[in-house]
């Protein structure tokens, strides 16, 4: 019996209509749909995004992941998830694993796929890209993320403020993913650098509860949810006259 294929599908940042056409077709064709859940068993964002697109005949496969920094617990969770996916693949069933944003941009899917392929090298894995949150945020804010020769830095949630300082020294635009856990320290640094007026924060981008914060000068105590990102325009974008004609 031929093995099933594991498909990683990026389903976009929050708005269900931002899944790609290819991603939607692949999702609806798979007999098994897998998605991450927390330790409490509550489905995550990706499951909510696809809820209206899946049908009753599809098997839903919640995979529990440990949202901790303990390497042993993480490896155990990835192994258990890999085993559950393998139980479907070895029966010839394709499995569509969904992730918010893009499937290869800070996605849990990477760890799942690598763990599975280490144990079963014969397994076929395919990725369907999606719209990642920084691109969606720029669209919602009505700004270009980058233009011309601007340099972009993207820092994930687990960074130190010292790393942000270094990025601000060379990048023209900086995106801070999941900024809530370090917001007060980031605010202090941006104030020192005179960059508060060039920083915008967006919560739950494109989702039903999206919220935008444009004025941060008096907002050091701003409380942000986990899915919040900041875009810092270190150097304001310039538009050379000749660039307007090169489309």
């Amino acid at each position: 019996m031929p093995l099933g294929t594991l498909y990683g599908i990026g389903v976009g940042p929050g708005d269900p209509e931002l899944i790609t056409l290819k991603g939607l077709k692949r999702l609806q064709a798979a007999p098994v749909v897998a998605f991450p859940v927390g330790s409490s068993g509550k489905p995550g964002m990706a499951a909510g995004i696809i809820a209206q697109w899946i049908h009753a005949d599809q098997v839903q496969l919640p995979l529990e992941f440990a949202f901790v920094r303990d390497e042993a617990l993480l490896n155990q969770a990835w192994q258990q998830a890999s085993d559950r996916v393998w139980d479907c693949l070895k029966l010839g069933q394709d499995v569509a694993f969904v992730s918010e944003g893009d499937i290869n941009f800070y996605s849990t899917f990477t760890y799942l796929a690598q763990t599975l392929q280490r144990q079963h090298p014969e397994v076929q894995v395919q990725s369907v890209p999606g719209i990642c949150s920084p691109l969606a945020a720029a669209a919602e804010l009505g700004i270009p993320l980058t233009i011309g020769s601007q340099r972009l830095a993207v820092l994930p949630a687990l960074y130190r403020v010292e790393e942000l300082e270094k990025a601000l020294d060379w990048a023209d635009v900086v995106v801070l993913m999941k900024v809530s856990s370090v917001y007060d320290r980031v605010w202090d640094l941006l104030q020192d650098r005179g960059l508060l007026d060039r920083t915008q924060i967006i919560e739950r981008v494109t989702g039903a509860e999206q919220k935008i914060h444009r004025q941060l000068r008096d907002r050091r105590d701003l409380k942000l949810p986990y899915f919040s990102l900041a875009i810092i325009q270190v150097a304001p974008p310039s538009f050379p006259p000749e660039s307007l004609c090169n489309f």
Side-chain angles (χ1 to χ4, degrees):
M1 176 184 297
L3 295 175
T5 298
L6 173 62
Y7 293 95
I9 302 175
V11 296
D15 182 347
E17 293 187 351
L18 289 179
I19 187 173
T20 67
L21 182 58
K22 183 173 183 177
L24 181 59
K25 288 181 177 179
R26 182 58 65 193
L27 170 68
Q28 294 183 323
V32 180
V33 177
F35 49 85
V37 298
S39 57
S40 64
K42 183 179 179 181
M45 180 183 292
I49 292 172
I50 64 165
Q52 64 180 275
W53 300 127
I54 58 178
H55 50 80
D57 294 336
Q58 291 176 291
V59 174
Q60 296 188 40
L61 184 66
L63 300 177
E64 183 176 315
F65 293 97
F67 296 98
V68 296
R69 302 179 70 174
D70 186 293
E71 188 172 348
L73 291 176
L74 290 171
N75 287 329
Q76 181 181 12
W78 297 331
Q79 185 60 60
Q80 291 174 345
S82 172
D83 291 342
R84 296 192 67 196
V85 170
W86 171 246
D87 287 341
C88 299
L89 297 177
K90 69 184 180 182
L91 298 177
Q93 298 176 317
D94 291 342
V95 177
F97 180 91
V98 295
S99 176
E100 68 271 8
D102 177 75
I103 202 68
N104 292 308
F105 186 73
Y106 299 119
S107 170
T108 305
F109 176 74
T110 302
Y111 304 106
L112 171 63
Q114 290 179 346
T115 302
L116 182 64
Q117 289 183 308
R118 280 198 299 268
Q119 298 294 321
H120 309 283
E122 67 275 25
V123 168
Q124 295 295 312
V125 177
Q126 296 185 23
S127 297
V128 180
I131 298 172
C132 61
S133 55
L135 300 179
E140 293 295 312
L141 294 171
I143 60 174
L145 188 57
T146 56
I147 190 169
S149 60
Q150 283 192 313
R151 294 162 296 183
L152 172 68
V154 179
L155 300 184
L158 301 177
Y159 56 83
R160 294 175 300 175
V161 173
E162 293 82 3
E163 295 170 340
L164 173 56
E165 287 189 276
K166 293 177 181 178
L168 292 174
D169 287 337
W170 65 263
D172 299 301
V173 180
V174 177
V175 175
L176 304 180
M177 306 289 293
K178 299 170 183 172
V179 69
S180 59
S181 63
V182 292
Y183 172 73
D184 55 346
R185 286 170 286 163
V186 167
W187 190 96
D188 290 341
L189 176 57
L190 295 178
Q191 183 188 47
D192 291 342
R193 294 268 186 142
L195 291 173
L196 285 174
D197 292 337
R198 296 184 189 173
T199 301
Q200 300 181 75
I201 293 177
I202 186 165
E203 305 177 10
R204 301 184 178 93
V205 59
T206 76
E209 298 179 351
Q210 174 179 291
K211 189 174 182 180
I212 294 173
H213 304 279
R214 300 183 189 271
Q215 304 296 327
L216 301 178
R217 187 164 294 277
D218 299 319
R219 307 295 300 279
R220 188 183 188 278
D221 297 325
L222 182 64
K223 302 302 181 183
L224 298 169
Y226 180 73
F227 287 106
S228 300
L229 66 81
I231 296 181
I232 307 167
Q233 293 180 298
V234 183
S238 59
F239 302 89
E242 63 273 12
S243 69
L244 302 178
C245 302
N246 294 332
F247 292 100

PDB file of all heavy atoms in Angstrom, residues 127-163:
ATOM      1  N   SER A 127       4.851  21.338   0.991  1.00  0.00           N
ATOM      2  CA  SER A 127       4.416  22.568   1.648  1.00  0.00           C
ATOM      3  C   SER A 127       3.623  23.441   0.690  1.00  0.00           C
ATOM      4  O   SER A 127       3.967  23.550  -0.484  1.00  0.00           O
ATOM      5  CB  SER A 127       5.630  23.369   2.152  1.00  0.00           C
ATOM      6  OG  SER A 127       6.340  22.639   3.128  1.00  0.00           O
ATOM      7  N   VAL A 128       2.565  24.043   1.206  1.00  0.00           N
ATOM      8  CA  VAL A 128       1.780  25.023   0.455  1.00  0.00           C
ATOM      9  C   VAL A 128       1.913  26.350   1.197  1.00  0.00           C
ATOM     10  O   VAL A 128       1.435  26.481   2.326  1.00  0.00           O
ATOM     11  CB  VAL A 128       0.302  24.615   0.343  1.00  0.00           C
ATOM     12  CG1 VAL A 128      -0.476  25.666  -0.449  1.00  0.00           C
ATOM     13  CG2 VAL A 128       0.164  23.243  -0.298  1.00  0.00           C
ATOM     14  N   PRO A 129       2.576  27.341   0.613  1.00  0.00           N
ATOM     15  CA  PRO A 129       2.828  28.587   1.336  1.00  0.00           C
ATOM     16  C   PRO A 129       1.564  29.380   1.604  1.00  0.00           C
ATOM     17  O   PRO A 129       0.531  29.206   0.944  1.00  0.00           O
ATOM     18  CB  PRO A 129       3.775  29.351   0.399  1.00  0.00           C
ATOM     19  CG  PRO A 129       3.472  28.808  -0.956  1.00  0.00           C
ATOM     20  CD  PRO A 129       3.123  27.369  -0.756  1.00  0.00           C
ATOM     21  N   GLY A 130       1.648  30.252   2.586  1.00  0.00           N
ATOM     22  CA  GLY A 130       0.527  31.120   2.934  1.00  0.00           C
ATOM     23  C   GLY A 130       0.998  32.541   3.187  1.00  0.00           C
ATOM     24  O   GLY A 130       2.192  32.835   3.143  1.00  0.00           O
ATOM     25  N   ILE A 131       0.074  33.422   3.467  1.00  0.00           N
ATOM     26  CA  ILE A 131       0.398  34.831   3.743  1.00  0.00           C
ATOM     27  C   ILE A 131       0.837  34.948   5.197  1.00  0.00           C
ATOM     28  O   ILE A 131       0.092  34.594   6.109  1.00  0.00           O
ATOM     29  CB  ILE A 131      -0.824  35.725   3.493  1.00  0.00           C
ATOM     30  CG1 ILE A 131      -1.247  35.649   2.018  1.00  0.00           C
ATOM     31  CG2 ILE A 131      -0.525  37.167   3.889  1.00  0.00           C
ATOM     32  CD1 ILE A 131      -2.549  36.346   1.721  1.00  0.00           C
ATOM     33  N   CYS A 132       2.051  35.437   5.416  1.00  0.00           N
ATOM     34  CA  CYS A 132       2.537  35.567   6.784  1.00  0.00           C
ATOM     35  C   CYS A 132       2.104  36.906   7.386  1.00  0.00           C
ATOM     36  O   CYS A 132       1.794  37.865   6.671  1.00  0.00           O
ATOM     37  CB  CYS A 132       4.051  35.396   6.846  1.00  0.00           C
ATOM     38  SG  CYS A 132       4.988  36.603   5.919  1.00  0.00           S
ATOM     39  N   SER A 133       2.119  36.974   8.708  1.00  0.00           N
ATOM     40  CA  SER A 133       1.547  38.123   9.406  1.00  0.00           C
ATOM     41  C   SER A 133       2.228  39.458   9.103  1.00  0.00           C
ATOM     42  O   SER A 133       1.531  40.479   9.037  1.00  0.00           O
ATOM     43  CB  SER A 133       1.513  37.865  10.916  1.00  0.00           C
ATOM     44  OG  SER A 133       2.795  37.532  11.404  1.00  0.00           O
ATOM     45  N   PRO A 134       3.559  39.542   8.929  1.00  0.00           N
ATOM     46  CA  PRO A 134       4.129  40.860   8.612  1.00  0.00           C
ATOM     47  C   PRO A 134       3.597  41.450   7.306  1.00  0.00           C
ATOM     48  O   PRO A 134       3.358  42.663   7.225  1.00  0.00           O
ATOM     49  CB  PRO A 134       5.638  40.576   8.518  1.00  0.00           C
ATOM     50  CG  PRO A 134       5.842  39.386   9.386  1.00  0.00           C
ATOM     51  CD  PRO A 134       4.619  38.554   9.176  1.00  0.00           C
ATOM     52  N   LEU A 135       3.388  40.612   6.301  1.00  0.00           N
ATOM     53  CA  LEU A 135       2.852  41.102   5.036  1.00  0.00           C
ATOM     54  C   LEU A 135       1.403  41.548   5.204  1.00  0.00           C
ATOM     55  O   LEU A 135       0.989  42.579   4.674  1.00  0.00           O
ATOM     56  CB  LEU A 135       2.954  40.019   3.972  1.00  0.00           C
ATOM     57  CG  LEU A 135       4.369  39.522   3.660  1.00  0.00           C
ATOM     58  CD1 LEU A 135       4.331  38.423   2.603  1.00  0.00           C
ATOM     59  CD2 LEU A 135       5.253  40.660   3.191  1.00  0.00           C
ATOM     60  N   ALA A 136       0.633  40.766   5.951  1.00  0.00           N
ATOM     61  CA  ALA A 136      -0.756  41.139   6.197  1.00  0.00           C
ATOM     62  C   ALA A 136      -0.836  42.421   7.021  1.00  0.00           C
ATOM     63  O   ALA A 136      -1.690  43.278   6.781  1.00  0.00           O
ATOM     64  CB  ALA A 136      -1.480  40.003   6.914  1.00  0.00           C
ATOM     65  N   ALA A 137       0.069  42.567   7.987  1.00  0.00           N
ATOM     66  CA  ALA A 137       0.057  43.764   8.831  1.00  0.00           C
ATOM     67  C   ALA A 137       0.347  45.020   8.017  1.00  0.00           C
ATOM     68  O   ALA A 137      -0.301  46.054   8.192  1.00  0.00           O
ATOM     69  CB  ALA A 137       1.078  43.618   9.959  1.00  0.00           C
ATOM     70  N   ALA A 138       1.325  44.936   7.118  1.00  0.00           N
ATOM     71  CA  ALA A 138       1.637  46.095   6.272  1.00  0.00           C
ATOM     72  C   ALA A 138       0.427  46.494   5.448  1.00  0.00           C
ATOM     73  O   ALA A 138       0.124  47.691   5.287  1.00  0.00           O
ATOM     74  CB  ALA A 138       2.825  45.774   5.369  1.00  0.00           C
ATOM     75  N   ALA A 139      -0.285  45.499   4.919  1.00  0.00           N
ATOM     76  CA  ALA A 139      -1.484  45.801   4.133  1.00  0.00           C
ATOM     77  C   ALA A 139      -2.552  46.471   4.979  1.00  0.00           C
ATOM     78  O   ALA A 139      -3.186  47.447   4.558  1.00  0.00           O
ATOM     79  CB  ALA A 139      -2.025  44.511   3.510  1.00  0.00           C
ATOM     80  N   GLU A 140      -2.755  45.979   6.197  1.00  0.00           N
ATOM     81  CA  GLU A 140      -3.765  46.559   7.077  1.00  0.00           C
ATOM     82  C   GLU A 140      -3.380  47.963   7.539  1.00  0.00           C
ATOM     83  O   GLU A 140      -4.245  48.822   7.728  1.00  0.00           O
ATOM     84  CB  GLU A 140      -3.985  45.651   8.291  1.00  0.00           C
ATOM     85  CG  GLU A 140      -4.627  44.310   7.974  1.00  0.00           C
ATOM     86  CD  GLU A 140      -6.037  44.457   7.441  1.00  0.00           C
ATOM     87  OE1 GLU A 140      -6.830  45.195   8.047  1.00  0.00           O
ATOM     88  OE2 GLU A 140      -6.340  43.829   6.406  1.00  0.00           O
ATOM     89  N   LEU A 141      -2.089  48.197   7.712  1.00  0.00           N
ATOM     90  CA  LEU A 141      -1.615  49.512   8.140  1.00  0.00           C
ATOM     91  C   LEU A 141      -1.524  50.504   6.993  1.00  0.00           C
ATOM     92  O   LEU A 141      -1.359  51.705   7.208  1.00  0.00           O
ATOM     93  CB  LEU A 141      -0.242  49.382   8.808  1.00  0.00           C
ATOM     94  CG  LEU A 141      -0.211  48.611  10.142  1.00  0.00           C
ATOM     95  CD1 LEU A 141       1.231  48.376  10.581  1.00  0.00           C
ATOM     96  CD2 LEU A 141      -0.979  49.351  11.225  1.00  0.00           C
ATOM     97  N   GLY A 142      -1.604  49.996   5.766  1.00  0.00           N
ATOM     98  CA  GLY A 142      -1.548  50.870   4.601  1.00  0.00           C
ATOM     99  C   GLY A 142      -0.157  51.410   4.324  1.00  0.00           C
ATOM    100  O   GLY A 142      -0.014  52.539   3.855  1.00  0.00           O
ATOM    101  N   ILE A 143       0.856  50.595   4.622  1.00  0.00           N
ATOM    102  CA  ILE A 143       2.234  51.014   4.402  1.00  0.00           C
ATOM    103  C   ILE A 143       2.972  49.942   3.613  1.00  0.00           C
ATOM    104  O   ILE A 143       2.613  48.765   3.674  1.00  0.00           O
ATOM    105  CB  ILE A 143       2.985  51.260   5.734  1.00  0.00           C
ATOM    106  CG1 ILE A 143       3.012  49.970   6.570  1.00  0.00           C
ATOM    107  CG2 ILE A 143       2.351  52.401   6.512  1.00  0.00           C
ATOM    108  CD1 ILE A 143       3.856  50.070   7.832  1.00  0.00           C
ATOM    109  N   PRO A 144       4.020  50.318   2.865  1.00  0.00           N
ATOM    110  CA  PRO A 144       4.874  49.284   2.278  1.00  0.00           C
ATOM    111  C   PRO A 144       5.745  48.687   3.375  1.00  0.00           C
ATOM    112  O   PRO A 144       6.257  49.408   4.235  1.00  0.00           O
ATOM    113  CB  PRO A 144       5.719  50.063   1.262  1.00  0.00           C
ATOM    114  CG  PRO A 144       5.784  51.444   1.819  1.00  0.00           C
ATOM    115  CD  PRO A 144       4.467  51.679   2.521  1.00  0.00           C
ATOM    116  N   LEU A 145       5.900  47.374   3.359  1.00  0.00           N
ATOM    117  CA  LEU A 145       6.795  46.772   4.351  1.00  0.00           C
ATOM    118  C   LEU A 145       8.239  47.178   4.053  1.00  0.00           C
ATOM    119  O   LEU A 145       8.992  47.546   4.957  1.00  0.00           O
ATOM    120  CB  LEU A 145       6.654  45.251   4.346  1.00  0.00           C
ATOM    121  CG  LEU A 145       7.403  44.525   5.462  1.00  0.00           C
ATOM    122  CD1 LEU A 145       6.966  45.018   6.837  1.00  0.00           C
ATOM    123  CD2 LEU A 145       7.201  43.019   5.353  1.00  0.00           C
ATOM    124  N   THR A 146       8.626  47.100   2.804  1.00  0.00           N
ATOM    125  CA  THR A 146       9.926  47.581   2.348  1.00  0.00           C
ATOM    126  C   THR A 146       9.758  48.165   0.960  1.00  0.00           C
ATOM    127  O   THR A 146       8.805  47.833   0.244  1.00  0.00           O
ATOM    128  CB  THR A 146      10.971  46.457   2.280  1.00  0.00           C
ATOM    129  OG1 THR A 146      10.480  45.410   1.432  1.00  0.00           O
ATOM    130  CG2 THR A 146      11.275  45.901   3.649  1.00  0.00           C
ATOM    131  N   ILE A 147      10.704  49.009   0.569  1.00  0.00           N
ATOM    132  CA  ILE A 147      10.683  49.575  -0.770  1.00  0.00           C
ATOM    133  C   ILE A 147      12.119  49.856  -1.196  1.00  0.00           C
ATOM    134  O   ILE A 147      12.981  50.165  -0.364  1.00  0.00           O
ATOM    135  CB  ILE A 147       9.836  50.866  -0.822  1.00  0.00           C
ATOM    136  CG1 ILE A 147       9.622  51.312  -2.270  1.00  0.00           C
ATOM    137  CG2 ILE A 147      10.440  51.967   0.024  1.00  0.00           C
ATOM    138  CD1 ILE A 147       8.592  52.412  -2.417  1.00  0.00           C
ATOM    139  N   GLY A 148      12.363  49.711  -2.493  1.00  0.00           N
ATOM    140  CA  GLY A 148      13.688  49.993  -3.018  1.00  0.00           C
ATOM    141  C   GLY A 148      14.752  49.108  -2.400  1.00  0.00           C
ATOM    142  O   GLY A 148      14.641  47.881  -2.386  1.00  0.00           O
ATOM    143  N   SER A 149      15.775  49.720  -1.842  1.00  0.00           N
ATOM    144  CA  SER A 149      16.897  48.977  -1.265  1.00  0.00           C
ATOM    145  C   SER A 149      16.817  48.868   0.260  1.00  0.00           C
ATOM    146  O   SER A 149      17.807  48.558   0.916  1.00  0.00           O
ATOM    147  CB  SER A 149      18.217  49.651  -1.659  1.00  0.00           C
ATOM    148  OG  SER A 149      18.246  51.001  -1.177  1.00  0.00           O
ATOM    149  N   GLN A 150      15.642  49.104   0.835  1.00  0.00           N
ATOM    150  CA  GLN A 150      15.502  49.035   2.290  1.00  0.00           C
ATOM    151  C   GLN A 150      15.815  47.633   2.812  1.00  0.00           C
ATOM    152  O   GLN A 150      15.456  46.632   2.205  1.00  0.00           O
ATOM    153  CB  GLN A 150      14.091  49.430   2.712  1.00  0.00           C
ATOM    154  CG  GLN A 150      13.837  50.926   2.691  1.00  0.00           C
ATOM    155  CD  GLN A 150      12.532  51.265   3.381  1.00  0.00           C
ATOM    156  OE1 GLN A 150      11.501  50.647   3.147  1.00  0.00           O
ATOM    157  NE2 GLN A 150      12.570  52.265   4.245  1.00  0.00           N
ATOM    158  N   ARG A 151      16.461  47.598   3.955  1.00  0.00           N
ATOM    159  CA  ARG A 151      16.835  46.341   4.594  1.00  0.00           C
ATOM    160  C   ARG A 151      15.827  46.004   5.692  1.00  0.00           C
ATOM    161  O   ARG A 151      15.477  46.862   6.504  1.00  0.00           O
ATOM    162  CB  ARG A 151      18.247  46.447   5.172  1.00  0.00           C
ATOM    163  CG  ARG A 151      19.335  46.610   4.112  1.00  0.00           C
ATOM    164  CD  ARG A 151      20.619  47.147   4.699  1.00  0.00           C
ATOM    165  NE  ARG A 151      20.435  48.491   5.223  1.00  0.00           N
ATOM    166  CZ  ARG A 151      21.428  49.227   5.738  1.00  0.00           C
ATOM    167  NH1 ARG A 151      22.641  48.742   5.798  1.00  0.00           N
ATOM    168  NH2 ARG A 151      21.187  50.447   6.197  1.00  0.00           N
ATOM    169  N   LEU A 152      15.378  44.755   5.700  1.00  0.00           N
ATOM    170  CA  LEU A 152      14.336  44.296   6.617  1.00  0.00           C
ATOM    171  C   LEU A 152      14.911  43.308   7.627  1.00  0.00           C
ATOM    172  O   LEU A 152      15.643  42.394   7.262  1.00  0.00           O
ATOM    173  CB  LEU A 152      13.207  43.632   5.834  1.00  0.00           C
ATOM    174  CG  LEU A 152      12.118  42.928   6.646  1.00  0.00           C
ATOM    175  CD1 LEU A 152      11.288  43.940   7.432  1.00  0.00           C
ATOM    176  CD2 LEU A 152      11.222  42.106   5.727  1.00  0.00           C
ATOM    177  N   ALA A 153      14.547  43.492   8.898  1.00  0.00           N
ATOM    178  CA  ALA A 153      14.883  42.530   9.956  1.00  0.00           C
ATOM    179  C   ALA A 153      13.591  42.045  10.594  1.00  0.00           C
ATOM    180  O   ALA A 153      12.701  42.841  10.885  1.00  0.00           O
ATOM    181  CB  ALA A 153      15.783  43.173  11.013  1.00  0.00           C
ATOM    182  N   VAL A 154      13.494  40.740  10.795  1.00  0.00           N
ATOM    183  CA  VAL A 154      12.348  40.145  11.480  1.00  0.00           C
ATOM    184  C   VAL A 154      12.878  39.395  12.693  1.00  0.00           C
ATOM    185  O   VAL A 154      13.712  38.499  12.560  1.00  0.00           O
ATOM    186  CB  VAL A 154      11.573  39.180  10.559  1.00  0.00           C
ATOM    187  CG1 VAL A 154      10.398  38.568  11.326  1.00  0.00           C
ATOM    188  CG2 VAL A 154      11.081  39.897   9.315  1.00  0.00           C
ATOM    189  N   LEU A 155      12.405  39.776  13.882  1.00  0.00           N
ATOM    190  CA  LEU A 155      12.842  39.129  15.110  1.00  0.00           C
ATOM    191  C   LEU A 155      11.668  38.352  15.702  1.00  0.00           C
ATOM    192  O   LEU A 155      10.566  38.883  15.836  1.00  0.00           O
ATOM    193  CB  LEU A 155      13.329  40.159  16.129  1.00  0.00           C
ATOM    194  CG  LEU A 155      14.517  41.038  15.694  1.00  0.00           C
ATOM    195  CD1 LEU A 155      14.935  41.943  16.847  1.00  0.00           C
ATOM    196  CD2 LEU A 155      15.683  40.199  15.239  1.00  0.00           C
ATOM    197  N   PRO A 156      11.889  37.093  16.076  1.00  0.00           N
ATOM    198  CA  PRO A 156      10.809  36.294  16.676  1.00  0.00           C
ATOM    199  C   PRO A 156      10.542  36.708  18.109  1.00  0.00           C
ATOM    200  O   PRO A 156      11.145  37.658  18.634  1.00  0.00           O
ATOM    201  CB  PRO A 156      11.370  34.869  16.595  1.00  0.00           C
ATOM    202  CG  PRO A 156      12.848  35.062  16.669  1.00  0.00           C
ATOM    203  CD  PRO A 156      13.142  36.353  15.939  1.00  0.00           C
ATOM    204  N   ALA A 157       9.663  35.977  18.774  1.00  0.00           N
ATOM    205  CA  ALA A 157       9.230  36.368  20.118  1.00  0.00           C
ATOM    206  C   ALA A 157      10.359  36.277  21.137  1.00  0.00           C
ATOM    207  O   ALA A 157      10.453  37.098  22.041  1.00  0.00           O
ATOM    208  CB  ALA A 157       8.068  35.493  20.552  1.00  0.00           C
ATOM    209  N   LEU A 158      11.218  35.282  21.023  1.00  0.00           N
ATOM    210  CA  LEU A 158      12.220  35.034  22.051  1.00  0.00           C
ATOM    211  C   LEU A 158      13.530  35.746  21.728  1.00  0.00           C
ATOM    212  O   LEU A 158      14.542  35.135  21.408  1.00  0.00           O
ATOM    213  CB  LEU A 158      12.456  33.523  22.197  1.00  0.00           C
ATOM    214  CG  LEU A 158      11.209  32.713  22.569  1.00  0.00           C
ATOM    215  CD1 LEU A 158      11.532  31.227  22.605  1.00  0.00           C
ATOM    216  CD2 LEU A 158      10.652  33.162  23.909  1.00  0.00           C
ATOM    217  N   TYR A 159      13.503  37.051  21.781  1.00  0.00           N
ATOM    218  CA  TYR A 159      14.711  37.823  21.549  1.00  0.00           C
ATOM    219  C   TYR A 159      14.988  38.708  22.760  1.00  0.00           C
ATOM    220  O   TYR A 159      14.113  38.997  23.562  1.00  0.00           O
ATOM    221  CB  TYR A 159      14.597  38.692  20.287  1.00  0.00           C
ATOM    222  CG  TYR A 159      13.418  39.632  20.292  1.00  0.00           C
ATOM    223  CD1 TYR A 159      13.474  40.864  20.941  1.00  0.00           C
ATOM    224  CD2 TYR A 159      12.234  39.294  19.643  1.00  0.00           C
ATOM    225  CE1 TYR A 159      12.393  41.716  20.949  1.00  0.00           C
ATOM    226  CE2 TYR A 159      11.142  40.143  19.652  1.00  0.00           C
ATOM    227  CZ  TYR A 159      11.234  41.359  20.309  1.00  0.00           C
ATOM    228  OH  TYR A 159      10.149  42.193  20.312  1.00  0.00           O
ATOM    229  N   ARG A 160      16.233  39.122  22.853  1.00  0.00           N
ATOM    230  CA  ARG A 160      16.614  40.050  23.905  1.00  0.00           C
ATOM    231  C   ARG A 160      16.623  41.457  23.332  1.00  0.00           C
ATOM    232  O   ARG A 160      16.808  41.655  22.138  1.00  0.00           O
ATOM    233  CB  ARG A 160      18.002  39.685  24.445  1.00  0.00           C
ATOM    234  CG  ARG A 160      18.048  38.336  25.167  1.00  0.00           C
ATOM    235  CD  ARG A 160      19.463  37.981  25.559  1.00  0.00           C
ATOM    236  NE  ARG A 160      20.332  37.893  24.381  1.00  0.00           N
ATOM    237  CZ  ARG A 160      21.647  37.697  24.443  1.00  0.00           C
ATOM    238  NH1 ARG A 160      22.238  37.579  25.619  1.00  0.00           N
ATOM    239  NH2 ARG A 160      22.363  37.617  23.336  1.00  0.00           N
ATOM    240  N   VAL A 161      16.450  42.433  24.196  1.00  0.00           N
ATOM    241  CA  VAL A 161      16.430  43.812  23.743  1.00  0.00           C
ATOM    242  C   VAL A 161      17.770  44.181  23.107  1.00  0.00           C
ATOM    243  O   VAL A 161      17.831  44.993  22.182  1.00  0.00           O
ATOM    244  CB  VAL A 161      16.088  44.757  24.905  1.00  0.00           C
ATOM    245  CG1 VAL A 161      16.229  46.212  24.490  1.00  0.00           C
ATOM    246  CG2 VAL A 161      14.659  44.496  25.400  1.00  0.00           C
ATOM    247  N   GLU A 162      18.854  43.556  23.585  1.00  0.00           N
ATOM    248  CA  GLU A 162      20.172  43.823  22.990  1.00  0.00           C
ATOM    249  C   GLU A 162      20.181  43.447  21.504  1.00  0.00           C
ATOM    250  O   GLU A 162      20.827  44.118  20.686  1.00  0.00           O
ATOM    251  CB  GLU A 162      21.259  43.044  23.726  1.00  0.00           C
ATOM    252  CG  GLU A 162      21.498  43.495  25.164  1.00  0.00           C
ATOM    253  CD  GLU A 162      20.494  42.902  26.136  1.00  0.00           C
ATOM    254  OE1 GLU A 162      19.639  42.098  25.709  1.00  0.00           O
ATOM    255  OE2 GLU A 162      20.555  43.258  27.340  1.00  0.00           O
ATOM    256  N   GLU A 163      19.472  42.376  21.145  1.00  0.00           N
ATOM    257  CA  GLU A 163      19.401  41.970  19.745  1.00  0.00           C
ATOM    258  C   GLU A 163      18.605  42.984  18.927  1.00  0.00           C
ATOM    259  O   GLU A 163      18.924  43.253  17.768  1.00  0.00           O
ATOM    260  CB  GLU A 163      18.772  40.580  19.641  1.00  0.00           C
ATOM    261  CG  GLU A 163      19.628  39.488  20.277  1.00  0.00           C
ATOM    262  CD  GLU A 163      18.892  38.168  20.377  1.00  0.00           C
ATOM    263  OE1 GLU A 163      17.647  38.177  20.322  1.00  0.00           O
ATOM    264  OE2 GLU A 163      19.558  37.136  20.526  1.00  0.00           O
TER     265      GLU A 163
END
